[in-house]
C-alpha cells in the first residue's frame, strides 16, 4: 500500500521529518489535547512520551501520584492523579477538559484458572471495574466534545487474548472483550461525527 502524503491543513506538504514514526514533532498535531490512562508506567508512560514529543498537549491519568509526577517531569504532560474506578472522582477530574484524543490504556491483568477462581468472584468484578467501566466512563465524559467538534480519536489498548481465547485469563479477556463490543457499537454511531475508534490487540508485555 502506498503511503499517503501528509499535508498541513492549508494543503502544503509537511517536511519529511514530520512523516517519520520517530519524528520529534508533528505540525498537524501540535497543541491537540490528548488524555492517556495508566500514564505512570509501562505502555502508558511510553505513549505519553511519544505524544508529547509530537507536540500534543497530554493529560496523564493514574492512581500513583508520585510516579505520575515523575513522568510529568520527564515528558511535560499534565498529571491527573485519580483512580478511574472511582467514577465520581474521575468525572470531576475531567469535567473541564476538552479532549480530542483518548487513549484507554489503564488495565488490570489476572492470570488464574477457573478451577482456582471459584471463591474469587472479586477478580472478575475488579477487572471489569477498571478495564471496562473505567474506560466507558471516560468515553461518555469526553465524547460530547468530540461529537460537537466533529473530530476525535478513541484508542483502546486491548489484548491478543480477545482474539485467541487465552486460557487462565478469563477475567481479564472478558473485560477487554466487553470493551471491544462497546467500541464496535460506538464506532457505528459516531462515524457520521468523524470520530475514529481504534482497538490495539497487544501481545503479552
Amino acid at each position: 500500500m502506498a503511503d499517503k502524503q501528509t499535508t498541513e491543513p492549508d494543503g502544503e506538504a509537511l517536511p519529511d521529518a514530520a512523516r517519520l514514526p520517530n519524528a520529534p514533532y508533528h505540525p498537524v498535531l501540535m497543541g491537540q489535547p490528548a488524555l492517556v490512562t495508566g500514564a505512570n508506567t509501562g505502555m502508558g508512560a511510553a505513549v505519553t512520551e511519544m505524544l508529547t514529543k509530537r507536540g500534543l498537549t497530554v493529560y496523564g491519568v493514574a492512581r500513583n501520584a508520585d510516579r505520575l509526577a515523575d513522568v510529568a517531569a520527564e515528558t511535560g504532560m499534565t498529571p491527573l492523579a485519580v483512580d478511574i474506578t472511582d467514577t465520581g472522582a474521575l468525572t470531576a477530574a475531567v469535567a473541564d477538559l476538552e479532549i480530542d484524543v483518548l487513549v484507554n490504556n489503564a488495565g488490570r491483568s489476572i492470570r488464574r484458572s477457573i478451577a482456582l477462581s471459584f471463591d474469587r468472584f472479586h477478580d472478575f468484578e475488579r477487572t471489569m471495574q477498571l478495564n471496562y467501566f473505567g474506560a466507558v466512563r471516560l468515553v461518555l465524559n469526553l465524547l460530547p466534545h468530540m461529537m460537537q467538534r466533529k473530530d476525535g480519536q478513541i484508542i483502546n489498548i486491548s489484548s491478543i487474548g480477545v482474539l485467541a481465547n487465552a486460557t487462565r485469563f478469563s477475567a481479564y479477556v472478558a473485560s477487554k472483550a466487553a470493551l471491544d463490543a462497546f467500541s464496535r457499537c460506538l464506532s457505528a454511531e459516531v462515524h457520521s461525527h468523524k470520530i475514529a475508534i481504534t482497538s490495539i490487540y497487544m501481545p503479552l508485555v
Side-chain angles (χ1 to χ4, degrees):
M1 181 183 297
D3 292 335
K4 294 181 179 179
Q5 185 180 31
T6 305
T7 59
E8 293 268 20
D10 61 6
E12 294 183 8
L14 294 175
D16 289 342
R19 294 197 294 267
L20 298 175
N22 295 320
Y25 68 93
H26 197 307
V28 171
L29 303 177
M30 290 294 289
Q32 194 170 26
L35 188 146
V36 181
T37 65
N40 63 328
T41 187
M43 286 189 296
V47 169
T48 296
E49 180 180 10
M50 180 186 71
L51 295 182
T52 54
K53 282 184 175 180
R54 281 158 177 75
L56 283 81
T57 299
V58 180
Y59 297 86
V61 174
R63 291 183 302 172
N64 189 322
D66 292 338
R67 176 56 187 152
L68 191 62
D70 290 341
V71 176
E74 295 167 3
T75 63
M77 65 86 163
T78 300
L80 297 176
V82 62
D83 183 349
I84 70 170
T85 65
D86 184 336
T87 56
L90 181 63
T91 297
V94 303
D96 297 325
L97 299 182
E98 295 184 345
I99 299 298
D100 295 340
V101 179
L102 169 62
V103 182
N104 278 314
N105 168 74
R108 178 193 302 274
S109 179
I110 295 177
R111 181 179 184 273
R112 183 171 288 115
S113 69
I114 288 295
L116 298 177
S117 301
F118 297 148
D119 59 348
R120 296 187 62 88
F121 183 69
H122 61 279
D123 284 347
F124 296 85
E125 291 179 307
R126 62 181 180 163
T127 51
M128 288 295 289
Q129 192 66 33
L130 177 59
N131 299 355
Y132 178 63
F133 292 123
V136 170
R137 169 53 64 191
L138 265 177
V139 170
L140 296 180
N141 284 335
L142 302 178
L143 194 58
H145 164 71
M146 295 182 183
M147 294 180 71
Q148 183 178 25
R149 186 172 177 266
K150 287 191 176 297
D151 190 22
Q153 175 89 39
I154 296 172
I155 301 170
N156 297 317
I157 305 300
S158 188
S159 168
I160 194 69
V162 173
L163 306 178
N165 302 319
T167 59
R168 298 183 177 87
F169 284 94
S170 57
Y172 174 68
V173 168
S175 66
K176 290 296 189 179
L179 184 59
D180 263 17
F182 170 80
S183 300
R184 289 194 300 271
C185 295
L186 176 65
S187 180
E189 293 192 41
V190 300
H191 178 73
S192 62
H193 295 275
K194 299 181 180 179
I195 298 170
I197 312 295
T198 302
S199 292
I200 300 176
Y201 299 96
M202 295 297 295
L204 189 63
V205 295

